[in-house]
Amino acid sequence: MGQPVERTSGAEAESELPPGQRLQRGWPVMHYGPVPRFRPERWEFKVFGATADGGERTWKHEEFTALPYATVVADMHCVTKFSMRGAEWGGIPARSFLDLVPPAPDVTHVMVWAEYGFSANLRLSDFASDAAVFATHKDGELLTAEHGFPVRLVVPHLYAWKGPKWVRGVEYMTADRRGFWEERGYHNIGDPWKEQRYSYQEVLGDGPGLPGL
Ligand SMILES: Nc1nc2c(c(=O)[nH]1)N[C@H]1C(S)=C(S)[C@@H](COP(=O)(O)O)O[C@H]1N2
Ligand SMILES: [Mo]
């Protein structure tokens, strides 16, 4: 991913953490609001918005989990400054959906939607990155409810709020729009290596205006 990597010798080799981050033992649970209950009969995953053919596509849970599976080993960085190292995320690569439902040529961003209307906006290039995955598993085990079961997005090169838990769909967009945390003071892009934590750090071109401004 082009990030600086510090190597110590042999099996201790570990990646450097982004500035201001510290390692946390275990796996904290961090989100806004209650944990949604999974209702398989009502659950569907939808790709919609500015698709190439103008249509939309949905997957029932059993169809979604039958899509080709891949694993990605990555660190996770929360903007509140804890990081977790070396999780193995398993699931469906985000870019698979760009193949399954091609975006219109003028799509520049996506909004990833989750239960209760939580959302996170991403540049199309971030969404299409090799390591971005709609994870159903961590370290070989199914996600638990509080960690996002049945599926969460993981975009390892951005702060973790850019990866909604309990994802339900992706909207293709021809212009940028701020998601849930991006409307509430967090940076529109959220690159931890540049410490893009808060919206006041944004420079022209990093994002659309804040609502009401
Ligand atoms: N739906 C939803 N997804 C979310 C959040 C949230 O508030 N709602 N918080 C994000 C933040 S800030 C972090 S750090 C990670 C935390 O994931 P974890 O609870 O599995 O550690 O989830 C992200 N995904
Ligand atoms: Mo976070």
Side-chain angles (χ1 to χ4, degrees):
M1 273 175 288
Q3 280 129 22
V5 173
E6 189 181 69
R7 292 275 171 224
T8 53
S9 57
E12 313 288 7
E14 277 178 338
S15 52
E16 191 185 321
L17 292 180
Q21 295 297 113
R22 58 185 155 62
L23 270 192
Q24 167 108 21
R25 290 206 186 283
W27 188 11
V29 172
M30 178 76 79
H31 58 263
Y32 178 83
V35 173
R37 194 159 71 86
F38 174 56
R39 296 181 190 81
E41 67 292 349
R42 285 207 227 153
W43 192 93
E44 59 177 28
F45 187 94
K46 178 154 99 172
V47 176
F48 64 105
T51 59
D53 67 4
E56 55 184 48
R57 186 150 169 207
T58 59
W59 288 262
K60 296 182 207 305
H61 187 241
E62 66 270 20
E63 296 168 335
F64 185 88
T65 54
L67 291 169
Y69 182 93
T71 59
V72 166
V73 175
D75 299 348
M76 177 170 126
H77 311 295
C78 173
V79 71
T80 64
K81 302 196 168 177
F82 77 80
S83 288
M84 185 173 76
R85 267 207 177 108
E88 185 200 81
W89 301 103
I92 297 106
R95 66 186 132 72
S96 300
F97 292 94
L98 299 173
D99 297 332
L100 290 163
V101 189
D106 53 345
V107 168
T108 55
H109 293 79
V110 304
M111 190 73 79
V112 178
W113 289 99
E115 300 285 356
Y116 300 144
F118 183 86
S119 61
N121 58 318
L122 294 160
R123 296 178 293 198
L124 184 61
S125 55
D126 289 322
F127 182 77
S129 68
D130 283 345
V133 59
F134 285 99
T136 54
H137 291 70
K138 178 181 165 285
D139 298 323
E141 295 190 7
L142 264 188
L143 292 176
T144 57
E146 63 269 27
H147 287 300
F149 179 83
V151 60
R152 70 183 298 163
L153 179 62
V154 174
V155 186
H157 69 283
L158 299 178
Y159 284 119
W161 90 76
K162 289 290 189 180
K165 304 192 277 192
W166 315 295
V167 185
R168 292 291 301 276
V170 180
E171 177 185 357
Y172 294 160
M173 307 196 295
T174 55
D176 200 4
R177 222 164 68 218
R178 308 180 80 92
F180 182 87
W181 289 120
E182 296 81 4
E183 278 188 339
R184 289 169 176 78
Y186 288 90
H187 197 283
N188 191 56
I189 296 170
D191 181 342
W193 299 94
K194 297 182 180 160
E195 259 200 289
Q196 293 175 332
R197 297 179 190 274
Y198 307 112
S199 55
Y200 67 75
Q201 299 170 300
E202 289 173 22
V203 298
L204 207 62
D206 281 347
L210 286 159
L213 296 181

